[in-house]
Amino acid sequence: MEKILPIAQLGAPVIRAIARPVTDLGAKETQEFIDELMLTCNDAKGMGISAPQVYRSERIFIMSSQPNERYPHAPMMKPIAVIEPEIIWHSQEMEKDWDGCLSLPGLRALVPRYREIEVSYMNREGEQVKAKYEGFIARLFQHEYDHLNGKVFIDRVESTLDVVMEREYQRMMMEKV
Ligand code: ZN
């Protein structure tokens, strides 16, 4: 039975740990875990979630971009499992835009990230994939990739003035429309 997993919050040691390599991707248990991670991401209305965020220190994350009330302008993308990812190239250009995180609920911040990246990873079938992302999806990938290395988005802010509370962020977005 698939279940929704509890989400670790900042302060849990697993959020700050370097995640371990995936040793048995083909195992039924690992595949079920990936399904549960996807279910948990969807239930929490996240755009992505990493294994450490559900107390499992392994180099796996989900990207699942679709517009919802937390991210009304997110692009549509079929949810994918990303295993053992690497960023193999990035643009010099960085862009500051909003990050949020299921492990730091209530906070948003303007975070500088590479505008374009080239990545390689394994899909859940164990096949090597190469991809190029830009903008929102590139940002999402870099955010989730950071989780595998014990980093969270507030580590990357240029100034504490770029950190805001969710409620004020929502108010700001409402006024923009
Ligand atoms: Zn996060």
Side-chain angles (χ1 to χ4, degrees):
M1 256 312 261
E2 285 171 21
K3 56 182 189 296
I4 289 161
L5 305 164
I7 298 174
Q9 309 280 276
L10 182 64
V14 67
I15 294 293
R16 290 310 199 172
I18 307 287
R20 289 189 296 267
V22 180
T23 48
D24 201 354
L25 180 59
K28 187 160 174 277
E29 194 273 330
T30 310
Q31 292 292 321
E32 278 172 6
F33 169 70
I34 290 170
D35 289 336
E36 290 177 344
L37 198 55
M38 281 188 175
L39 193 70
T40 304
C41 186
N42 189 51
D43 177 71
K45 298 186 165 47
M47 295 289 113
I49 194 169
S50 61
Q53 288 179 276
V54 294
Y55 299 92
R56 180 159 164 150
S57 185
E58 235 182 341
R59 305 190 76 78
I60 300 177
F61 65 72
I62 305 299
M63 292 204 293
S64 172
S65 171
Q66 49 187 307
N68 67 21
E69 58 262 41
R70 286 186 73 234
Y71 293 90
H73 303 297
M76 268 311 268
M77 169 190 199
K78 192 167 129 281
I80 57 165
V82 173
I83 292 114
E84 301 279 359
E86 298 292 343
I87 295 174
I88 54 182
W89 174 87
H90 63 74
S91 59
Q92 288 306 307
E93 193 192 343
M94 295 184 97
E95 223 167 41
K96 247 164 89 167
D97 209 338
W98 294 102
D99 267 43
C101 182
L102 296 173
S103 295
L104 289 79
L107 282 185
R108 299 278 184 147
L110 281 171
V111 179
R113 296 201 184 272
Y114 298 117
R115 220 195 73 72
E116 257 185 292
I117 53 172
E118 264 178 47
V119 303
S120 75
Y121 61 90
M122 262 187 293
N123 62 19
R124 65 184 297 173
E125 284 80 37
E127 297 156 348
Q128 205 66 39
V129 178
K130 272 194 182 177
K132 198 166 180 173
Y133 299 122
E134 57 170 44
F136 186 91
I137 304 292
R139 170 166 301 275
L140 175 58
F141 192 100
Q142 290 169 79
H143 176 114
E144 300 307 331
Y145 181 79
D146 272 353
H147 275 302
L148 305 185
N149 296 320
K151 268 201 150 60
V152 295
F153 71 91
I154 52 171
D155 300 336
R156 294 200 180 272
V157 297
E158 284 173 353
S159 158
T160 50
L161 297 177
D162 287 337
V163 183
V164 304
M165 302 309 291
E166 176 79 23
R167 187 150 33 112
E168 298 300 335
Y169 168 82
Q170 293 296 350
R171 190 197 297 265
M172 222 184 306
M173 291 299 126
M174 293 278 276
E175 282 166 7
K176 251 189 180 174
V177 177

